[in-house]
């Protein structure tokens, strides 16, 4: 993508101009002249039922008015924040999907960080996954022209570019079919994306996993012909203020294992590595931005399949920290691989551990498709919640009630991997994870809902969303400032 700052309308080469509008069809900052030139526009907007409320979009032609051919009016509503701008920019771009040079005045909205947010929205809305279309049309690199006002600061542009690249990488990884992203292939993909970022990349293969007592990852991976592995990314700057560990669930396909899913529930299970994609993409972004924190990202990668070597319901696994788990349902596999990786992360005594996982259907039932569940220690949850709020990703806190721990008591092992009830499944899973984080500050994001979108909307694309990447990046930035 290319970003330009233009002072005036006349230098425009854009195919469309995206302009913000406040309720009552009042022009957004930088659009007074536009409204004067298009004297009839207000009336046309009114006729189209366009008020200027948040989420509204109207496209009008601007023939002969010394303007780009199409003007995209986007409603801003009364309370504008960075997420409003991201969404408005995304919705605007979506409305003129065919245009490669897009101008906007949205960056003139008087909020700190407006330019970066607008750029994120514009760029992310244009995301496509065409790798498997035989007739994919190659499109030119998009050009975004920021019109008038003060130019968007170079630093903000650079950051937005890193964000867009990271979110797009996460989306690509999620959208990739499972046949092409077995555990090792996934690790290689990430390693090549991390090239030049300064991250060091380490991959533990199955043999190493056995030597390191990682019984959870090995147990889940046992039913697949593609062996499991653990991907470890490390960012170690000279002056690090804090130490952050990220852990992402990386089930490259979740068939359920011997506790096989139904065909319908299996359809989207290539997305079950969204947590791993988010932490890896965030790690790359953190390294590229040179943030002053020490970071280790762990992606336990396995394919959950019902092959001849597969673990059986009733088998017992021994996790890295020595605790044992009775596997009653092989479809509750995410917590098993996370248990190993969390144990490993906790050994190094970081200031904060955050895990991200498409962990439970129950969390999706609770919060729907756009909001993730947030669990963890009292020290960690507010930090992650604040980061999510500034990133514009929605997380909602859920409890870890001590008296629910007995729901995962096992007859023969330290715990079992299901809660034994239809109710509170997201909590049962989180309570199991809690057994593996030691004394560390810890937060757990259950993103089973928002990791995937059933339809495209503003800057969110259909399919993999890259949810979590921006929250983790915000979190790392705020830790770097503490
Ligand atoms: N990967 C699924 C959770 C999931 C479901 C993610 C739908 C995204 C969309 C997870 O491994 C799983 O199958 N969990 C089971 C646990 C149950 C067997 C205790 C679930 O939630 O049904
Ligand atoms: Zn499962
Ligand atoms: Zn799963």
């Amino acid at each position: 993508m290319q970003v330009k700052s233009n002072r005036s309308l006349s230098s425009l080469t854009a195919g469309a101009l995206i302009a913000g509008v406040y309720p009552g069809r009042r022009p957004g900052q930088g659009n007074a002249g536009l409204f004067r030139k298009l004297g009839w526009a207000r009336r046309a907007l009114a006729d189209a039922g366009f008020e200027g409320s948040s989420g509204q979009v109207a496209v009008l032609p601007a023939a002969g008015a010394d303007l780009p051919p199409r003007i995209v009016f986007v409603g801003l509503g009364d309370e504008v924040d960075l997420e409003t701008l991201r969404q408005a920019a995304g919705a605007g771009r979506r409305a003129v999907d065919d245009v490669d040079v897009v101008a906007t005045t949205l960056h003139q909205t008087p909020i700190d960080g407006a330019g970066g947010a607008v750029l994120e929205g514009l760029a992310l809305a244009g995301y496509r996954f065409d790798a498997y279309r035989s007739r994919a049309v190659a499109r030119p690199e998009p050009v975004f022209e920021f019109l008038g006002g003060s130019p968007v600061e170079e630093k903000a542009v650079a950051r937005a570019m890193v964000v867009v690249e990271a979110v797009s990488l996460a989306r690509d990884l999620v959208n990739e079919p499972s046949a092409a992203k077995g555990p090792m292939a996934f690790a290689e993909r990430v390693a090549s994306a991390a090239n030049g970022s300064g991250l060091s990349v380490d991959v533990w293969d199955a043999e190493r996993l056995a030597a390191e007592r990682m019984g959870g990852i090995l147990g889940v991976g046992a039913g697949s012909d593609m062996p499991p592995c653990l991907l470890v990314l490390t960012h170690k700057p000279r002056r690090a203020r804090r130490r952050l560990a990220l852990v992402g669930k990386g089930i490259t396909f979740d068939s359920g294992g011997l506790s096989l899913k139904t065909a319908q529930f299996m359809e989207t299970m290539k997305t079950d590595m969204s947590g791993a994609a988010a932490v890896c993409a965030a790690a790359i972004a953190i390294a590229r931005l040179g943030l002053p924190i020490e970071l280790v990202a762990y992606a336990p990668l396995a394919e959950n399949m019902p092959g001849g070597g597969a673990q059986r319901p009733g088998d017992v696994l021994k996790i890295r920290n020595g605790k044992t788990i009775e596997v009653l349902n092989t479809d509750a596999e995410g917590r098993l691989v996370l248990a190993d990786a969390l144990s490993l992360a906790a050994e190094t005594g970081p200031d904060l551990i955050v895990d991200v996982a498409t962990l439970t259907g129950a969390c999706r039932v609770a919060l729907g498709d756009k909001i993730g569940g947030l669990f963890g220690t009292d020290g960690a949850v507010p930090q992650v919640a604040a980061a999510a709020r500034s990133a514009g990703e929605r997380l909602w806190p859920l409890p870890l009630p001590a008296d629910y721990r007995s729901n995962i008591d096992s007859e023969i092992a330290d715990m079992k991997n299901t809660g034994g009830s239809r109710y509170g499944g997201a909590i049962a899973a989180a309570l199991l994870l809690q057994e593996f984080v030691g004394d560390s500050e810890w937060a757990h994001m259950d993103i089973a809902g928002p990791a995937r979108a059933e339809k495209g909307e503003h800057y969110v694309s259909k399919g993999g969303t890259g949810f979590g990447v921006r929250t983790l990046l915000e979190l790392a930035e705020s830790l770097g400032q503490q």
Side-chain angles (χ1 to χ4, degrees):
M1 96 180 95
Q2 255 187 69
V3 179
K4 293 183 179 168
S5 283
N6 285 333
R7 218 169 289 268
S8 66
L9 276 172
S10 55
S11 63
L12 277 175
T13 54
L17 167 64
I18 301 175
V21 182
Y22 290 109
R25 292 176 290 280
R26 286 177 291 119
Q29 283 79 8
N31 301 326
L34 170 75
F35 273 67
R36 270 198 303 278
K37 279 192 180 186
L38 291 180
W40 49 274
R42 276 203 177 173
R43 185 61 208 267
L45 288 174
D47 289 345
F50 182 100
E51 299 291 337
S53 42
S54 167
Q56 282 190 313
V57 180
V59 184
L60 298 181
D66 191 21
L67 287 166
R70 279 179 283 174
I71 312 297
V72 185
F73 294 94
V74 290
L76 295 173
D78 283 315
E79 275 173 44
V80 183
D81 60 15
L82 291 180
E83 180 62 7
T84 315
L85 290 179
R86 236 176 251 119
Q87 294 189 8
R93 169 107 198 262
R94 208 169 262 282
V96 288
D97 197 32
D98 54 317
V99 173
D100 296 312
V101 182
V102 181
T104 188
T105 50
L106 281 172
H107 65 292
Q108 294 190 41
T109 315
I111 333 176
D112 252 9
V118 170
L119 187 48
E120 285 174 23
L122 289 173
L124 289 173
Y127 173 86
R128 275 187 187 73
F129 186 73
D130 282 336
Y132 289 86
R133 294 195 196 279
S134 56
R135 284 162 202 254
V137 199
R139 292 194 54 173
E141 181 190 23
V143 180
F144 302 121
E145 298 189 342
F146 289 102
L147 185 65
S150 39
V152 183
E153 279 177 41
E154 248 169 70
K155 228 178 146 185
V157 171
R159 181 189 183 277
M161 289 204 177
V162 169
V163 169
V164 169
E165 185 196 38
V167 173
S168 304
L169 169 65
R171 289 179 180 179
D172 280 348
L173 288 165
V174 174
N175 290 331
E176 187 72 37
S178 294
K181 62 170 177 198
M184 277 296 175
F186 181 100
E188 279 158 26
R189 261 302 281 288
V190 170
S192 85
N195 234 319
S197 67
L199 279 177
S200 62
V201 179
D202 201 9
V203 182
W204 290 8
D205 64 7
E207 202 181 323
R208 177 85 190 265
L209 290 173
E212 301 279 357
R213 307 181 315 281
M214 310 286 272
I217 303 176
L218 287 167
V220 173
S224 169
D225 290 340
M226 302 193 211
C229 63
L230 175 75
L231 172 62
V232 185
L233 306 173
T234 309
H235 166 67
K236 216 171 186 168
R238 244 170 269 129
R239 293 163 291 107
R241 299 225 170 84
R242 291 299 182 87
R243 295 172 58 224
L244 173 65
L246 302 177
V247 175
K249 171 178 173 180
I251 300 301
T252 62
F253 185 73
D254 184 9
S255 72
L258 284 173
S259 312
L260 199 64
K261 287 183 183 293
T262 59
Q264 195 202 335
F265 281 119
M266 227 185 276
E267 265 179 30
T268 57
M269 283 301 132
K270 71 172 184 182
T271 64
D272 211 21
M273 32 52 69
S274 300
V279 305
C280 292
I284 293 174
I286 288 164
R288 287 208 197 287
L289 293 172
L291 299 186
I293 59 158
E294 201 177 304
L295 168 82
V296 187
Y298 303 85
L301 297 159
E303 191 184 35
N304 189 23
M305 296 287 271
Q311 57 178 349
R312 308 148 193 83
D315 284 354
V316 174
L317 301 177
K318 191 168 196 173
I319 303 301
R320 166 87 180 180
N321 72 351
K323 293 191 183 180
T324 57
I325 306 179
E326 184 184 12
V327 180
L328 287 184
N329 190 320
T330 63
D331 195 13
E333 82 299 336
R335 61 201 79 179
L336 304 174
V337 302
L338 291 171
D340 269 337
L342 287 169
S343 303
L344 188 63
E347 281 168 23
T348 65
D351 296 301
L352 175 61
I353 303 178
V354 180
D355 78 72
V356 187
T358 48
L359 202 60
T360 65
C363 198
R364 216 172 142 201
V365 171
L367 299 173
D369 273 340
K370 295 184 179 179
I371 302 173
L374 178 60
F375 300 82
T377 55
D378 293 343
V381 164
Q383 291 188 66
V384 176
R389 219 172 298 120
S390 358
E393 293 185 319
R394 286 190 285 175
L395 291 176
W396 197 257
L398 292 170
L400 288 166
D403 59 331
Y404 282 24
R405 171 61 180 77
S406 58
N407 292 338
I408 59 170
D409 285 350
S410 158
E411 274 177 33
I412 65 165
D414 296 339
M415 66 202 88
K416 60 183 178 180
N417 77 331
T418 61
S421 147
R422 283 177 53 216
Y423 304 114
I427 293 175
L431 282 169
L432 185 141
L433 298 183
Q434 191 179 30
E435 296 284 323
F436 299 91
V437 297
D439 298 326
S440 305
E441 293 293 341
W442 159 70
H444 157 56
M445 294 162 56
D446 190 334
I447 61 163
R452 210 192 120 75
E454 286 310 320
K455 66 176 181 56
E457 186 184 20
H458 49 77
Y459 67 85
V460 175
S461 50
K462 183 177 160 80
T465 57
F467 189 95
V469 174
R470 291 184 294 120
T471 295
L472 296 176
L473 183 58
E474 286 278 350
L475 178 68
E477 286 174 329
S478 82
L479 287 175
Q481 280 158 13
Q482 281 172 18

